[in-house]
Amino acid sequence: MKKKFIISMIVVLVLAIALTALLIACTPAGGGGLNAQEEQNNIFALVAISAGELISGGESDTQTASLAGGDTTAIAAELDQYMAMLDSIIGGSTPITSTVGANTNAEYAQYETVQTVTTTSVGGVSETYTIYYNETYQPEYGDDDDWGESEENYRVEGVMVNGENVFEVRGWRTLETEGRETEESLEFTARNAANGMSMVFELENENEGNETGREFAYTIYQNNRRVRSFEIGFEKESGWTGDETEFELFTHENGQSMEYEIESVTRGGVETIRITRRVGGPVERYYATRNADGTYAYEFAGTGDRW
């Protein structure tokens, strides 16, 4: 993988999980939580940040990941990064602020709405993304919905500005509701005309009672040729027996794939964390234990051929 892409992807992963944590944390059992507009704003923020990180500029030399072979010292830094992402889901913290209002910028007067997104890195460095867009409701002709079901479709068109970078953003959003279950599907395309790069972002979002699931998919193109892709999935379930959180990651570039799965299960106040990892070879399995100071200790649990 390219070194810059790995760093950018991790930034996007952390932000995706932070936004997911915010949505989960603000959705209490029995309903309520963020309204449709607030949730939409968070998704637009993620699209903007993703484009800024993934298709903004050039990349450095190739750096290939290798199997750790059970050496927990060698792999600890990598595992720490992904455990920090899991903590973002569980803890609900987010390094993102966002404001939305009517657009008054004459340069982009064709767009009605402006959203300003500010992110802050661990080192305290801030980055600002401004999205100017129109969202248009797409009416359905005919009503095929069953009783208790509803579906809404929207088209989104606009631009995202990040420093000197200007990205075209367009796509669609669908909301489906049936009883206590809601599903949201999105697909957005962001293009950077300056370097010929583009990004297709897809989201599947499902909420039902105490279960929440989200899947993000990114595909990066250079001059209309696919150069890499990755997918992120989250599931969280709370019940009388305890809590279970699962995080999955899959990346693919130049014929090489990397897969991660982290599962945290808490029963009777005791947490068990299992990590499954594959980078170009057999599956590796680890157990993680939280230390009192917030760090982690890892135990190698063996290898295998099956995921």
Side-chain angles (χ1 to χ4, degrees):
M1 287 188 180
K2 305 289 187 180
K3 184 177 181 181
K4 176 183 180 297
F5 176 67
I6 293 174
I7 296 171
S8 297
M9 187 186 70
I10 289 174
V11 170
V12 170
L13 285 169
V14 170
L15 295 172
I17 294 176
L19 285 171
T20 297
L22 180 63
L23 298 179
I24 292 173
C26 294
T27 306
L34 297 181
N35 63 38
Q37 184 64 54
E38 291 170 325
E39 184 159 343
Q40 170 194 319
N41 294 342
N42 284 331
I43 298 302
F44 284 3
L46 178 57
V47 173
I49 296 165
S50 300
E53 290 292 336
L54 299 177
I55 62 174
S56 61
E59 298 172 347
S60 59
D61 295 335
T62 298
Q63 177 176 309
T64 303
S66 60
L67 286 173
D71 186 344
T72 55
T73 301
I75 199 177
E78 178 184 303
L79 294 176
D80 281 344
Q81 289 179 333
Y82 291 102
M83 286 305 302
M85 297 177 192
L86 184 73
D87 285 342
S88 294
I89 302 178
I90 296 173
S93 60
T94 173
I96 301 170
T97 60
S98 175
T99 60
V100 181
N103 178 29
T104 59
N105 187 336
E107 185 176 359
Y108 299 103
Q110 67 270 39
Y111 302 113
E112 296 180 357
T113 306
V114 59
Q115 179 173 357
T116 302
V117 182
T118 302
T119 68
T120 304
S121 69
V122 176
V125 178
S126 295
E127 193 80 24
T128 299
Y129 306 83
T130 305
I131 317 164
Y132 303 92
Y133 68 92
N134 293 327
E135 183 178 52
T136 309
Y137 176 69
Q138 303 294 293
E140 289 187 278
Y141 297 97
D143 186 4
D144 296 329
D145 295 335
D146 293 332
W147 185 87
E149 296 181 5
S150 66
E151 180 176 322
E152 300 177 3
N153 296 282
Y154 299 86
R155 185 177 73 245
V156 179
E157 295 180 298
V159 295
M160 189 272 286
V161 180
N162 170 230
E164 297 181 354
N165 292 308
V166 179
F167 305 87
E168 299 176 9
V169 180
R170 62 181 60 208
W172 56 267
R173 184 168 66 98
T174 299
L175 299 174
E176 298 180 58
T177 303
E178 181 179 2
R180 295 181 62 194
E181 182 177 355
T182 61
E183 294 184 15
E184 180 178 26
S185 301
L186 304 99
E187 181 173 321
F188 289 100
T189 299
R191 300 184 186 278
N192 187 347
N195 61 12
M197 297 190 71
S198 61
M199 176 195 80
V200 176
F201 168 89
E202 298 174 81
L203 167 67
E204 296 288 337
N205 170 26
E206 185 172 353
N207 292 287
E208 182 178 8
N210 292 326
E211 298 181 24
T212 302
R214 284 177 174 82
E215 294 182 2
F216 302 86
Y218 293 85
T219 307
I220 312 301
Y221 296 88
Q222 178 80 55
N223 297 322
N224 296 320
R225 181 180 66 86
R226 188 178 71 172
V227 293
R228 61 181 63 91
S229 60
F230 65 98
E231 300 174 9
I232 318 161
F234 313 102
E235 289 185 8
K236 185 169 184 178
E237 181 177 358
S238 299
W240 67 272
T241 60
D243 300 320
E244 182 173 339
T245 305
E246 187 175 299
F247 158 55
E248 295 180 317
L249 164 70
F250 172 81
T251 71
H252 184 79
E253 180 181 15
N254 297 327
Q256 179 175 317
S257 299
M258 179 179 73
E259 297 168 274
Y260 253 93
E261 181 178 300
I262 302 176
E263 183 181 31
S264 169
V265 178
T266 301
R267 297 284 187 269
V270 178
E271 181 183 35
T272 302
I273 303 173
R274 302 180 182 89
I275 303 173
T276 307
R277 173 186 186 266
R278 184 189 346 232
V279 183
V283 170
E284 294 185 338
R285 296 182 175 87
Y286 298 85
Y287 288 104
T289 303
R290 297 179 190 270
N291 298 321
D293 61 358
T295 61
Y296 291 92
Y298 302 103
E299 177 187 352
F300 180 60
T303 61
D305 296 326
R306 295 185 178 182
W307 182 242

